[in-house]
């Protein structure tokens, strides 16, 4: 296994005591996640736990129509495979890479062994699980009550946070599927944000031009989720 990636690239790992962090990293390998790569499907046995360091992954709930609705966006602030700590090795969501880049990966078996031996890791991941549950509930509120433009601005901010760059790739069709809206709604919202000179969008390549303006255009869910994370895990 390789632990060449600096632990500070993942905020959960960086928050662990040095001894616990180094023990966990000793069993991790550095990999590169590829855009649109399916890490596992809902119902699959979880083979690995991932700690993104410069990539991000969508957790999506499958619908009867064959489409998926995004339930979470995981980047360097977190991990996926968290259900293992509850004694459940079956994936609740479909995990697909939306932002290519590096990540740390550990086998489920090694992760559970390290979890058993590290009370500090147990506590940190319990806090992370609480944050994930809180954000999932907030996402349900957002989907039900907020306008497409506000939701799109929130998603773009979240993506920027996780990819750690002002530029990334996401098509209108992809964002429509992830947000559970029609493609025309995403096109209209993106055009509006572009006219306000908050973003630049060309053939799926997005550049954030005005971060502060985009935060103003977003619904309050972005701020609430960040505050929850900082309060519990900060």
């Amino acid at each position: 296994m390789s632990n060449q990636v600096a632990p500070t690239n993942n905020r959960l790992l960086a928050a662990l005591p040095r001894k616990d962090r180094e023990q966990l990293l000793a069993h991790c390998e550095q990999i590169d996640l590829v855009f649109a790569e399916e890490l596992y499907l809902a119902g699959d046995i979880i083979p690995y736990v991932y700690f993104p360091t410069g990539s991000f992954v969508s957790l999506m709930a499958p619908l009867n129509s064959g489409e998926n609705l995004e339930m979470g966006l995981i980047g360097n602030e977190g991990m996926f495979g968290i259900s293992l700590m509850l004694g459940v090795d079956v994936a609740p969501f479909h995990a697909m890479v939306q932002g290519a880049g590096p990540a740390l990966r550990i086998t489920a078996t090694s992760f559970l062994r390290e979890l058993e031996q590290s009370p500090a890791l147990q506590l940190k991941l319990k806090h992370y699980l609480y944050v994930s549950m809180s954000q999932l509930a907030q996402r349900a509120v957002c989907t039900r009550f907020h306008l497409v433009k506000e939701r799109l601005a929130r998603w773009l901010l979240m993506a920027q946070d996780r990819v750690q760059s002002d530029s990334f790739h996401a098509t209108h069709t992809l964002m429509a599927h992830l947000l559970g809206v029609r493609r025309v709604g995403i096109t209209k919202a993106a055009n509006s944000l572009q006219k306000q000179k908050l973003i630049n969008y060309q053939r799926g390549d997005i550049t954030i031009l005005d971060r502060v303006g985009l935060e103003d255009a977003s619904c309050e869910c972005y701020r609430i989720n960040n505050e929850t994370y900082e309060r519990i895990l900060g």
Side-chain angles (χ1 to χ4, degrees), residues 9 97 104 128 137 154:
N9 286 354
V97 179
L104 292 172
Y128 178 68
R154 173 187 57 79

Side-chain angles (χ1 to χ4, degrees), residues 24-60:
L24 183 65
L25 285 172
H27 298 279
C28 291
E29 60 178 332
Q30 179 180 323
I31 62 170
D32 287 316
L33 299 181
V34 179
F35 178 74
E37 177 183 2
E38 293 181 336
L39 300 179
Y40 44 69
L41 301 177
D44 284 353
I45 299 298
I46 299 174
Y48 297 100
V49 170
Y50 296 83
F51 295 90
T53 55
S55 55
F56 65 94
V57 176
S58 284
L59 301 182
M60 301 178 291

